[in-house]
Amino acid sequence: MIFNSVVFGIFFFIVFYLYWLFLKNNITIRNIFLIIVSYIFYGWWDWRFLFLIIISSLVDFIIGKRIYLQRNIPKRKKLLLISLIVNFGFLGFFKYFNFFVDSFIDAFSLFGISLNVSTLNIILPVGISFYTFQSLSYTLDIYYNKFKPTNNVYAFLAFVSFFPQLVAGPIERAKKLLPQFLEKKTFSYDHFRSGLFLMAWGLLKKIVIADRLAKYIDVAYSNVDHISGIPALYAVIFFAFQLYLDFSAYSDIAIGAARTLGFNLSENFRRPYLSSSFSNFWKRWHISLSSWFKDYVYIPLGGSRHGNFRTNRNLIIVFLLSGLWHGASWNFVIWGAINGLFIIIFDRYILQINKTSLGRIFSSIFVSAMWAFSLIFFRAQTFGDAIIMYKNLFSSSINSLYSYGLGKPEFTFTIIILIIMMFIELIAEKKENLYAWINNRHLIVRWTMYIIIVTIILFVGYYGEKMPISNFVYFQF
């Protein structure tokens, strides 16, 4: 079940209606209801994989309580190890088994040794990387004495499986989200209104812009041997925008849907293409994942406390793991390493440039451009395709810009809406809370904006016969 489908619209309407009409006063029944509807939401894709999230949740619930009660440090470590083995065991098997087998075979082939090892036909469960990290953060925070375990199993199961952010985040921490499942909820019209606005805004970014960009990008990357020059450059730029708009759209819809139900989720994107440095970029992009790696990998490794060499080593480890988290492919690992090197190599110089307004503008453009070029490894299907794409960027173009899925009117419209979107980002950067700014406008102005957004979604959205319903990019992770 995906957010940009009629099925989800019907599902969410029923959930919202039942939730506020019958369940708002009984916390236990409300949480059981949220567990059931969240499992229906996830099981709509493939019910067989529900056992993974149920087992992971129950293991961490039990282990969390035992870690908290255990004062013996070696025994605490053993309990934590059980949680790590179960969670990473599931994640490793379903996501990385074939990757490691293929890499093992390729490594031996370098020495002329041919191995006859078969891979398995394994289906990757949707969202396994997200809910695994969310559930793990619970036991890790208890182990580091940052959080006390809950005795309410229903609240914990609801926390791990909460449907708005289940399959693509934000990756929530127990100390922020779990207590919200133990609170009574009171309907707030302001939360309802702002939640619906965020959902509509997310649908606009996804259906009107990101899916339109996807049409050009899919054709371009399916023809890497033939695309070159300016059309190839547009494919690179377009994908940087598609990835951002698609993923931030999911986050907006998730945060908005949760808000209408009385829950506050974490901000996941903060205008990353206006970043002043590469490190600043990662404080604005997929914030929940970046902070997860910072708290549970970078800081335990020593962070920046032991000199430049160890700091840089820790950064590279984090970015290699982040790349691998995104997918079972060396392309993702290379992409991660490249972005780690960006911080190490460029940030010291960028900080000097940022002392002037002109330098600040240059820094944002440079960071965004380098990020976009790194994404060639993220989007290309193979290492070879990525190398071909890099080479073709510097070749002369023989094909028209309009030969890759978007005719001239569609291509022109796409450029215009991207410019408008970046202008809105600039306004939001100054206003910080764009919705609060909109909410303070006159009633007529507010409703005019609401009507415009809905009209654009309905009449300009890229769907129907032109394009089937498109999954969100991060569903594959």
Side-chain angles (χ1 to χ4, degrees):
M1 195 181 300
I2 56 177
F3 287 160
N4 52 323
S5 67
V6 174
V7 172
F8 176 76
I10 297 171
F11 167 83
F12 184 72
F13 175 80
I14 294 172
V15 169
F16 179 86
Y17 181 80
L18 294 176
Y19 179 88
W20 285 115
L21 194 63
F22 300 110
L23 307 169
K24 61 182 179 181
N25 294 322
N26 191 309
I27 293 175
T28 299
I29 295 176
R30 183 195 69 198
N31 287 335
I32 292 172
F33 172 76
L34 287 175
I35 294 167
I36 292 171
V37 297
S38 295
Y39 286 169
I40 291 173
F41 174 85
Y42 189 81
W44 200 269
W45 167 70
D46 194 327
W47 62 268
R48 293 173 299 174
F49 291 101
L50 280 173
F51 81 92
L52 292 175
I53 190 171
I54 294 172
I55 292 174
S56 293
S57 301
L58 291 175
V59 166
D60 286 333
F61 176 76
I62 295 169
I63 293 296
K65 291 206 296 184
R66 293 191 176 182
I67 289 175
Y68 182 74
L69 295 173
Q70 181 59 252
R71 296 296 96 190
N72 183 283
I73 294 178
K75 290 183 179 180
R76 283 169 61 87
K77 288 182 178 180
K78 288 180 181 178
L79 288 168
L80 177 63
L81 185 61
I82 294 173
S83 174
L84 294 172
I85 290 173
V86 171
N87 283 284
F88 285 132
F90 284 150
L91 184 61
F93 177 77
F94 284 97
K95 191 167 185 176
Y96 300 109
F97 179 83
N98 285 339
F99 168 69
F100 287 123
V101 169
D102 289 338
S103 297
F104 184 74
I105 294 171
D106 291 341
F108 273 86
S109 68
L110 293 174
F111 300 97
I113 301 173
S114 178
L115 296 179
N116 186 19
V117 181
S118 299
T119 56
L120 302 176
N121 184 23
I122 299 173
I123 300 173
L124 177 64
V126 170
I128 187 171
S129 297
F130 287 91
Y131 69 71
T132 296
F133 272 34
Q134 180 156 315
S135 186
L136 259 180
S137 71
Y138 174 77
T139 50
L140 286 166
D141 280 348
I142 294 171
Y143 177 80
Y144 289 120
N145 297 313
K146 295 180 179 179
F147 188 73
K148 293 182 179 180
T150 179
N151 292 317
N152 190 319
V153 66
Y154 300 121
F156 183 77
L157 292 175
F159 154 73
V160 176
S161 65
F162 192 40
F163 74 88
Q165 43 89 221
L166 173 59
V167 295
I171 302 169
E172 293 291 348
R173 306 297 179 83
K175 59 185 176 183
K176 173 180 171 58
L177 183 58
L178 183 53
Q180 297 184 47
F181 289 95
L182 300 170
E183 302 169 346
K184 287 189 175 181
K185 302 295 181 183
T186 303
F187 180 79
S188 166
Y189 177 70
D190 186 60
H191 287 171
F192 171 70
R193 182 174 60 182
S194 65
L196 287 184
F197 174 82
L198 272 175
M199 294 177 74
W201 183 244
L203 286 171
L204 185 148
K205 290 196 292 185
K206 167 64 176 171
I207 297 173
V208 177
I209 313 177
D211 286 351
R212 197 171 248 103
L213 293 169
K215 181 66 175 179
Y216 183 97
I217 295 158
D218 290 345
V219 176
Y221 274 91
S222 296
N223 296 275
V224 291
D225 291 322
H226 302 99
I227 191 169
S228 59
I230 299 300
L233 182 62
Y234 268 105
V236 171
I237 296 171
F238 277 6
F239 181 65
F241 279 106
Q242 182 210 353
L243 189 66
Y244 169 51
L245 294 169
D246 188 282
F247 193 14
S248 66
Y250 184 96
S251 295
D252 287 343
I253 298 170
I255 294 169
R259 189 175 294 177
T260 65
L261 299 175
F263 292 87
N264 292 312
L265 300 183
S266 302
E267 182 182 28
N268 214 19
F269 290 88
R270 193 181 302 123
R271 302 169 293 282
Y273 292 157
L274 301 178
S275 302
S276 57
S277 66
F278 288 100
S279 54
N280 181 245
F281 178 90
W282 289 100
K283 293 176 182 177
R284 293 166 172 258
W285 177 277
H286 201 175
I287 299 168
S288 61
L289 180 66
S290 298
S291 63
W292 198 99
F293 275 111
K294 175 186 174 184
D295 291 345
Y296 303 123
V297 181
Y298 181 71
I299 291 176
L301 284 173
S304 58
R305 299 190 299 272
H306 303 292
N308 287 334
F309 176 79
R310 289 192 179 183
T311 298
N312 293 339
R313 180 205 65 181
N314 297 340
L315 274 172
I316 290 298
I317 290 173
V318 165
F319 276 94
L320 288 174
L321 291 174
S322 176
L324 192 60
W325 178 91
H326 280 83
S329 164
W330 286 110
N331 273 22
F332 288 112
V333 177
I334 294 169
W335 166 78
I338 289 172
N339 281 278
L341 290 172
F342 283 165
I343 295 177
I344 294 170
I345 296 171
F346 294 117
D347 267 12
R348 68 182 72 178
Y349 304 109
I350 289 176
L351 292 175
Q352 298 299 318
I353 296 173
N354 285 338
K355 293 179 180 180
T356 65
S357 297
L358 188 61
R360 173 72 172 74
I361 295 171
F362 172 81
S363 296
S364 293
I365 295 172
F366 178 73
V367 169
S368 298
M370 296 298 284
W371 159 256
F373 285 119
S374 79
L375 288 174
I376 292 176
F377 276 108
F378 193 102
R379 180 58 180 80
Q381 294 298 310
T382 65
F383 177 83
D385 283 354
I387 299 302
I388 291 171
M389 196 67 170
Y390 279 114
K391 289 180 178 178
N392 288 353
L393 285 172
F394 303 100
S395 304
S396 59
S397 175
I398 59 174
N399 293 327
S400 166
L401 276 173
Y402 316 122
S403 303
Y404 299 94
L406 295 179
K408 186 174 181 179
E410 284 284 342
F411 190 93
T412 303
F413 177 74
T414 301
I415 297 296
I416 292 171
I417 56 179
L418 284 178
I419 293 172
I420 294 172
M421 182 58 63
M422 285 308 299
F423 180 71
I424 293 172
E425 293 270 283
L426 286 168
I427 294 175
E429 184 75 2
K430 297 294 183 182
K431 298 294 181 183
E432 188 60 35
N433 190 329
L434 185 60
Y435 175 77
W437 181 82
I438 293 172
N439 194 41
N440 290 329
R441 303 307 97 188
H442 190 276
L443 178 68
I444 297 176
V445 175
R446 290 203 313 270
W447 276 96
T448 300
M449 297 182 71
Y450 300 156
I451 292 170
I452 289 174
I453 289 173
V454 173
T455 301
I456 291 173
I457 293 171
L458 292 176
F459 293 99
V460 191
Y462 208 62
Y463 51 82
E465 293 182 0
K466 293 181 290 184
M467 189 174 181
I469 294 175
S470 172
N471 272 338
F472 289 83
V473 173
Y474 265 71
F475 272 29
Q476 63 185 294
F477 308 133

